[in-house]
mmCIF file of all heavy atoms in Angstrom:
data_model
loop_
_atom_site.group_PDB
_atom_site.id
_atom_site.type_symbol
_atom_site.label_atom_id
_atom_site.label_comp_id
_atom_site.label_asym_id
_atom_site.label_seq_id
_atom_site.Cartn_x
_atom_site.Cartn_y
_atom_site.Cartn_z
ATOM 1 N N LEU A 1651 21.546 -59.080 -16.462
ATOM 2 C CA LEU A 1651 21.509 -58.489 -17.799
ATOM 3 C C LEU A 1651 22.530 -59.192 -18.693
ATOM 4 O O LEU A 1651 23.522 -59.754 -18.213
ATOM 5 C CB LEU A 1651 21.834 -56.987 -17.726
ATOM 6 C CG LEU A 1651 20.895 -56.098 -16.897
ATOM 7 C CD1 LEU A 1651 21.464 -54.701 -16.791
ATOM 8 C CD2 LEU A 1651 19.518 -56.065 -17.536
ATOM 9 N N ARG A 1652 22.260 -59.103 -19.913
ATOM 10 C CA ARG A 1652 23.227 -59.647 -20.868
ATOM 11 C C ARG A 1652 24.427 -58.717 -20.957
ATOM 12 O O ARG A 1652 24.289 -57.499 -20.879
ATOM 13 C CB ARG A 1652 22.580 -59.779 -22.247
ATOM 14 C CG ARG A 1652 21.475 -60.829 -22.270
ATOM 15 C CD ARG A 1652 20.854 -60.903 -23.640
ATOM 16 N NE ARG A 1652 21.914 -61.099 -24.646
ATOM 17 C CZ ARG A 1652 21.661 -61.353 -25.918
ATOM 18 N NH1 ARG A 1652 20.409 -61.443 -26.334
ATOM 19 N NH2 ARG A 1652 22.644 -61.519 -26.790
ATOM 20 N N PRO A 1653 25.622 -59.270 -21.116
ATOM 21 C CA PRO A 1653 26.817 -58.422 -21.194
ATOM 22 C C PRO A 1653 26.782 -57.430 -22.356
ATOM 23 O O PRO A 1653 27.372 -56.366 -22.283
ATOM 24 C CB PRO A 1653 27.947 -59.424 -21.338
ATOM 25 C CG PRO A 1653 27.420 -60.691 -20.773
ATOM 26 C CD PRO A 1653 25.959 -60.708 -21.080
ATOM 27 N N ASP A 1654 26.082 -57.787 -23.424
ATOM 28 C CA ASP A 1654 26.035 -56.893 -24.577
ATOM 29 C C ASP A 1654 24.794 -56.018 -24.593
ATOM 30 O O ASP A 1654 24.394 -55.487 -25.622
ATOM 31 C CB ASP A 1654 26.098 -57.714 -25.883
ATOM 32 C CG ASP A 1654 24.960 -58.727 -25.950
ATOM 33 O OD1 ASP A 1654 24.282 -58.926 -24.890
ATOM 34 O OD2 ASP A 1654 24.733 -59.300 -27.020
ATOM 35 N N SER A 1655 24.187 -55.878 -23.356
ATOM 36 C CA SER A 1655 22.990 -55.049 -23.293
ATOM 37 C C SER A 1655 23.360 -53.575 -23.399
ATOM 38 O O SER A 1655 24.518 -53.183 -23.235
ATOM 39 C CB SER A 1655 22.254 -55.312 -21.966
ATOM 40 O OG SER A 1655 23.069 -54.913 -20.882
ATOM 41 N N GLU A 1656 22.359 -52.761 -23.679
ATOM 42 C CA GLU A 1656 22.569 -51.328 -23.847
ATOM 43 C C GLU A 1656 23.119 -50.681 -22.585
ATOM 44 O O GLU A 1656 23.869 -49.716 -22.635
ATOM 45 C CB GLU A 1656 21.235 -50.666 -24.259
ATOM 46 C CG GLU A 1656 21.301 -49.163 -24.500
ATOM 47 C CD GLU A 1656 22.139 -48.814 -25.724
ATOM 48 O OE1 GLU A 1656 22.394 -49.702 -26.563
ATOM 49 O OE2 GLU A 1656 22.552 -47.640 -25.831
ATOM 50 N N PHE A 1657 22.756 -51.221 -21.399
ATOM 51 C CA PHE A 1657 23.183 -50.631 -20.143
ATOM 52 C C PHE A 1657 24.692 -50.692 -19.943
ATOM 53 O O PHE A 1657 25.305 -49.792 -19.385
ATOM 54 C CB PHE A 1657 22.467 -51.348 -18.981
ATOM 55 C CG PHE A 1657 22.754 -50.737 -17.634
ATOM 56 C CD1 PHE A 1657 22.158 -49.533 -17.236
ATOM 57 C CD2 PHE A 1657 23.640 -51.349 -16.756
ATOM 58 C CE1 PHE A 1657 22.436 -48.986 -16.002
ATOM 59 C CE2 PHE A 1657 23.910 -50.793 -15.534
ATOM 60 C CZ PHE A 1657 23.302 -49.613 -15.145
ATOM 61 N N PHE A 1658 25.315 -51.794 -20.440
ATOM 62 C CA PHE A 1658 26.752 -51.980 -20.264
ATOM 63 C C PHE A 1658 27.562 -51.621 -21.499
ATOM 64 O O PHE A 1658 28.685 -52.090 -21.648
ATOM 65 C CB PHE A 1658 27.041 -53.448 -19.892
ATOM 66 C CG PHE A 1658 26.555 -53.825 -18.523
ATOM 67 C CD1 PHE A 1658 25.526 -54.723 -18.383
ATOM 68 C CD2 PHE A 1658 27.131 -53.269 -17.394
ATOM 69 C CE1 PHE A 1658 25.075 -55.086 -17.126
ATOM 70 C CE2 PHE A 1658 26.684 -53.636 -16.141
ATOM 71 C CZ PHE A 1658 25.636 -54.540 -15.989
ATOM 72 N N ARG A 1659 27.025 -50.815 -22.336
ATOM 73 C CA ARG A 1659 27.719 -50.557 -23.591
ATOM 74 C C ARG A 1659 29.009 -49.784 -23.375
ATOM 75 O O ARG A 1659 29.951 -49.932 -24.170
ATOM 76 C CB ARG A 1659 26.810 -49.809 -24.572
ATOM 77 C CG ARG A 1659 26.326 -48.461 -24.121
ATOM 78 C CD ARG A 1659 25.195 -47.975 -25.038
ATOM 79 N NE ARG A 1659 24.665 -46.677 -24.629
ATOM 80 C CZ ARG A 1659 25.062 -45.522 -25.125
ATOM 81 N NH1 ARG A 1659 25.985 -45.500 -26.071
ATOM 82 N NH2 ARG A 1659 24.533 -44.400 -24.700
ATOM 83 N N PHE A 1660 29.125 -48.989 -22.321
ATOM 84 C CA PHE A 1660 30.379 -48.284 -22.068
ATOM 85 C C PHE A 1660 31.421 -49.158 -21.374
ATOM 86 O O PHE A 1660 32.577 -48.771 -21.295
ATOM 87 C CB PHE A 1660 30.122 -47.026 -21.215
ATOM 88 C CG PHE A 1660 29.521 -45.890 -21.988
ATOM 89 C CD1 PHE A 1660 28.151 -45.656 -21.975
ATOM 90 C CD2 PHE A 1660 30.320 -45.074 -22.778
ATOM 91 C CE1 PHE A 1660 27.601 -44.614 -22.690
ATOM 92 C CE2 PHE A 1660 29.766 -44.028 -23.505
ATOM 93 C CZ PHE A 1660 28.401 -43.787 -23.461
ATOM 94 N N PHE A 1661 30.961 -50.352 -20.862
ATOM 95 C CA PHE A 1661 31.922 -51.293 -20.302
ATOM 96 C C PHE A 1661 32.690 -52.005 -21.429
ATOM 97 O O PHE A 1661 33.883 -52.273 -21.298
ATOM 98 C CB PHE A 1661 31.193 -52.336 -19.425
ATOM 99 C CG PHE A 1661 30.891 -51.831 -18.042
ATOM 100 C CD1 PHE A 1661 29.789 -51.029 -17.811
ATOM 101 C CD2 PHE A 1661 31.714 -52.157 -16.972
ATOM 102 C CE1 PHE A 1661 29.505 -50.576 -16.555
ATOM 103 C CE2 PHE A 1661 31.424 -51.690 -15.721
ATOM 104 C CZ PHE A 1661 30.316 -50.889 -15.471
ATOM 105 N N ALA A 1662 31.956 -52.341 -22.505
ATOM 106 C CA ALA A 1662 32.594 -53.062 -23.625
ATOM 107 C C ALA A 1662 33.378 -52.117 -24.516
ATOM 108 O O ALA A 1662 34.420 -52.481 -25.076
ATOM 109 C CB ALA A 1662 31.524 -53.796 -24.439
ATOM 110 N N ASN A 1663 32.898 -50.874 -24.646
ATOM 111 C CA ASN A 1663 33.548 -49.932 -25.571
ATOM 112 C C ASN A 1663 33.481 -48.544 -24.956
ATOM 113 O O ASN A 1663 32.396 -48.041 -24.664
ATOM 114 C CB ASN A 1663 32.816 -49.942 -26.913
ATOM 115 C CG ASN A 1663 33.580 -49.149 -27.983
ATOM 116 O OD1 ASN A 1663 34.493 -48.380 -27.699
ATOM 117 N ND2 ASN A 1663 33.182 -49.298 -29.211
ATOM 118 N N PRO A 1664 34.625 -47.877 -24.683
ATOM 119 C CA PRO A 1664 34.617 -46.548 -24.078
ATOM 120 C C PRO A 1664 33.809 -45.544 -24.878
ATOM 121 O O PRO A 1664 33.319 -44.557 -24.312
ATOM 122 C CB PRO A 1664 36.084 -46.174 -24.008
ATOM 123 C CG PRO A 1664 36.813 -47.492 -24.024
ATOM 124 C CD PRO A 1664 36.000 -48.386 -24.880
ATOM 125 N N SER A 1665 33.686 -45.790 -26.187
ATOM 126 C CA SER A 1665 32.888 -44.838 -26.977
ATOM 127 C C SER A 1665 31.426 -45.077 -26.878
ATOM 128 O O SER A 1665 30.623 -44.271 -27.316
ATOM 129 C CB SER A 1665 33.335 -44.918 -28.454
ATOM 130 O OG SER A 1665 33.041 -46.220 -29.009
#
Side-chain angles (χ1 to χ4, degrees):
L1651 299 173
R1652 293 179 53 172
D1654 57 349
S1655 64
E1656 181 67 18
F1657 185 76
F1658 291 113
R1659 61 193 179 95
F1660 284 97
F1661 279 81
N1663 189 346
S1665 64

